[in-house]
Structures are given as structure tokens and as C-alpha cells.
Amino acid sequence: MLQELDLVVLTRDIADHQLQVGDVGTVVHCYADGAAFEVEFVTAAGSTVAVLTLTPGDIRAFQAREILH
């Protein structure tokens, strides 16, 4: 189960925000029963690109051995 401050990986493109499959974000809020999550995506410099409400199908947990791209 995802928790606040977990890193997650986007599983679909979100063209409105120029986000692509594989982009990494941080869970900043979990809604009841894991039905949805607020996820923040930032640049390498720390500027926020978007904060979006996403469903479990839109994201997956980041794995410790993954390489950021």
C-alpha cells in the first residue's frame, strides 16, 4: 500500500502536463482506502511541474534498484 512521501512511477502519459510514462513523483496525500493519491512531480532543480490526483492504475511503486531517467 502506498503511503505519503513514497516515490511512484507514472504508468501513462499525461500530455496536459508534459508528463510521460516512467516519470517519478512523490505521494503527498493518500485518499481513503487508497482510492486515489495526490502526486507531485518536480524537475531535477526542485520546481513543481504538477500536483495531480491519480488513481492506483495511473502509478506504481518505485523500486529501489530503478534508475531515474
Side-chain angles (χ1 to χ4, degrees):
M1 180 81 148
L2 294 173
Q3 300 177 21
E4 290 181 8
L5 302 182
D6 281 353
L7 292 178
V8 293
V9 179
L10 196 58
T11 60
R12 68 177 180 91
D13 292 341
I14 302 178
D16 292 349
H17 297 281
Q18 293 79 46
L19 295 170
Q20 299 177 349
V21 169
D23 286 346
V24 176
T26 302
V27 175
V28 294
H29 180 73
C30 300
Y31 289 95
D33 299 326
F37 303 90
E38 291 290 323
V39 180
E40 181 179 24
F41 295 89
V42 298
T43 66
S47 298
T48 299
V49 173
V51 178
L52 304 172
T53 303
L54 300 172
T55 65
D58 297 325
I59 54 176
R60 65 173 175 78
F62 182 84
Q63 302 299 310
R65 295 193 50 110
E66 288 189 84
I67 297 171
L68 299 175
H69 68 90

